[in-house]
Amino acid sequence: MATTSNSYTSVAIIGAGSVGCTIAHTLMLRRVCAEVRLVDIAEDLCKAQVQDLQDATYLTNVRIKYATPQEAGQSDIIVITAGAKQKPGETRLDLIEKNYKVLGSVLKGLQPINPLAIILLVANPVDVLTHFTQQMSGLPKNQVLGSGTLLDSIRLRGLLAQRLNVSDNSINAYVIGEHGDSQCVAWSSATVSGAHISLIDDISEEEKVEIGKLVSGKANAIIKAKGFTSYGIGATAANICEAILFDQRPVYPLSCWHEEHQCCISLPAVVGRNGVVTQIPLPLNDKEREQIEASAATLRDQIAKF
Ligand SMILES: NC(=O)C1=CN([C@@H]2O[C@H](COP(=O)(O)OP(=O)(O)OC[C@H]3O[C@@H](n4cnc5c(N)ncnc54)[C@H](O)[C@@H]3O)[C@@H](O)[C@H]2O)C=CC1
Ligand SMILES: CC(=O)C(=O)O
């Protein structure tokens, strides 16, 4: 297992807003690492968030501290949540101008980055920002990944679990492509405990479209009512950190570099201590292949603007 100059595990979170603090809280409650380091351009807010989170440390004794960007750069994992969030009606891609600038200043502040660190992008548009972090951070591409469509896949499994009356954990179904409006559901490979989903329930094409819309529209529906989403991504990001630090090697649809698509996009990948260990080929039908190609083209168009 790779080691750093620290004798204990640390996860830095850049951006101490709703998402960053929910990830910090989840990491602490699940004892994913020994120390969580919080960084934000808004110093007073960040210190107050640390103080509040410190009141929860007695449950697990995971340390939470306010950190400088340079200290954060020496962590085992650096989670980037800094940036603007969507207003109701905005798409994730609408955030690119603002968050590209934020990302540039965040990556500059982290230097020199621990060469063994894994950077996990969460800020949106996550696929495009993952691509730019791979270009700007100086780390190998496998060490820079985005939370991608893991959260969307969890949302999909939640809906299917209700419909089929089985546990989410027994459903293997992926949302792939952009973590955004061009994503698609890989229905042709969806299984329940190894059996194709069509053997369990005859979901019509119209219903599949409806389920896909519910999944891709869930964030917007939550944002319309409460202004942001945080618990789902808190659990998802903490889960990815756990998989990395404990070298667990689950197969997750995460945003990582795909040579074939020439961009960072979500397809199943094995996650371990070195980040993306390998990619797992997903059988797709013609329609799904067209959808993933269109999604990749959308992302490449965004990248080409810079
Ligand atoms: N990938 C995913 O599935 C999800 C992504 N998100 C994204 O996460 C991001 C954060 O969302 P929230 O936490 O709700 O927003 P927020 O507004 O609550 O927090 C953002 C924080 O970033 C900080 N910040 C801005 N520039 C910074 C810089 N240069 N250095 C350090 N900190 C800086 C701000 O001061 C603020 O505290 C958004 O882009 C949102 O779209 C949110 C939910 C899920
Ligand atoms: C905001 C966002 O990207 C999500 O909850 O999926």
Side-chain angles (χ1 to χ4, degrees):
M1 178 168 147
T3 55
T4 68
S5 52
N6 291 325
S7 56
Y8 53 86
T9 49
S10 57
V11 176
I13 300 172
I14 319 297
S18 313
V19 170
C21 289
T22 310
I23 296 172
H25 192 220
T26 313
L27 288 170
M28 287 164 55
L29 292 184
R30 287 186 62 83
R31 280 201 187 92
V32 172
C33 53
E35 183 170 286
V36 177
R37 301 168 179 174
L38 217 49
V39 176
D40 199 292
I41 200 168
E43 208 177 304
D44 287 348
L45 166 81
C46 190
K47 286 182 175 163
Q49 297 281 33
V50 167
Q51 287 194 329
D52 196 5
L53 284 160
Q54 272 168 349
D55 292 344
T57 57
Y58 75 98
L59 282 176
T60 55
N61 289 317
V62 170
R63 278 189 303 278
I64 171 96
K65 62 176 259 189
Y66 172 78
T68 63
Q70 288 81 4
E71 284 170 320
Q74 295 313 303
S75 308
D76 294 298
I77 302 180
I78 304 163
V79 183
I80 301 182
T81 76
K85 59 184 170 226
Q86 294 157 261
K87 298 192 185 82
E90 271 188 324
T91 69
R92 295 172 180 91
L93 292 176
D94 288 335
L95 301 171
I96 187 59
E97 303 282 343
K98 281 185 213 158
N99 288 352
Y100 176 78
K101 284 192 195 126
V102 171
L103 180 70
S105 83
V106 165
L107 291 175
K108 208 167 151 200
L110 293 172
Q111 298 291 346
I113 298 175
N114 164 19
L116 298 174
I118 308 297
I119 302 187
L120 173 64
L121 269 296
V122 168
N124 276 317
V126 69
D127 305 287
V128 184
L129 296 183
T130 303
H131 172 87
F132 287 124
T133 305
Q134 290 189 345
Q135 286 193 334
M136 295 192 269
S137 64
L139 294 180
K141 281 185 173 144
N142 62 292
Q143 287 175 228
V144 179
L145 51 138
S147 58
T149 55
L150 178 56
L151 176 54
D152 308 279
S153 300
I154 289 163
R155 288 170 175 156
L156 171 67
R157 287 175 209 181
L159 283 177
L160 291 175
Q162 278 175 16
R163 157 132 193 177
L164 305 175
N165 206 14
V166 294
S167 155
D168 312 33
N169 295 332
S170 298
I171 298 173
N172 206 342
Y174 293 111
V175 175
I176 54 173
E178 179 200 356
H179 174 60
D181 297 348
S182 68
Q183 65 182 225
C184 68
V185 176
W187 286 107
S188 66
S189 58
T191 62
V192 178
S193 190
H196 193 266
I197 202 155
S198 59
L199 297 171
I200 315 292
D201 196 336
D202 195 14
I203 306 176
S204 69
E205 288 308 308
E206 292 74 29
E207 284 174 294
K208 285 180 185 169
V209 171
E210 208 41 54
I211 290 170
K213 278 188 191 158
L214 281 175
V215 171
S216 73
K218 188 164 187 189
N220 267 330
I222 298 170
I223 289 167
K224 198 172 162 199
K226 69 171 251 192
F228 61 92
T229 63
S230 61
Y231 295 117
I233 188 60
T236 307
N239 189 209
I240 298 168
C241 291
E242 194 172 328
I244 293 168
L245 290 176
F246 291 87
D247 197 28
Q248 289 170 339
R249 303 186 177 229
V251 178
Y252 285 157
L254 297 177
S255 191
C256 56
W257 176 256
H258 280 267
E259 204 60 38
E260 182 194 347
H261 298 294
Q262 289 292 299
C263 63
C264 288
I265 193 163
S266 287
L267 282 161
V270 178
V271 197
R273 184 59 189 89
N274 295 325
V276 174
V277 179
T278 187
Q279 292 168 352
I280 301 286
L282 185 69
L284 299 175
N285 63 26
D286 289 348
K287 186 176 159 202
E288 291 159 358
R289 205 167 300 111
E290 268 172 36
Q291 286 174 318
I292 189 94
E293 277 164 14
S295 192
T298 302
L299 294 170
R300 285 194 303 270
D301 284 351
Q302 292 296 318
I303 291 161
K305 287 182 185 166
F306 292 85

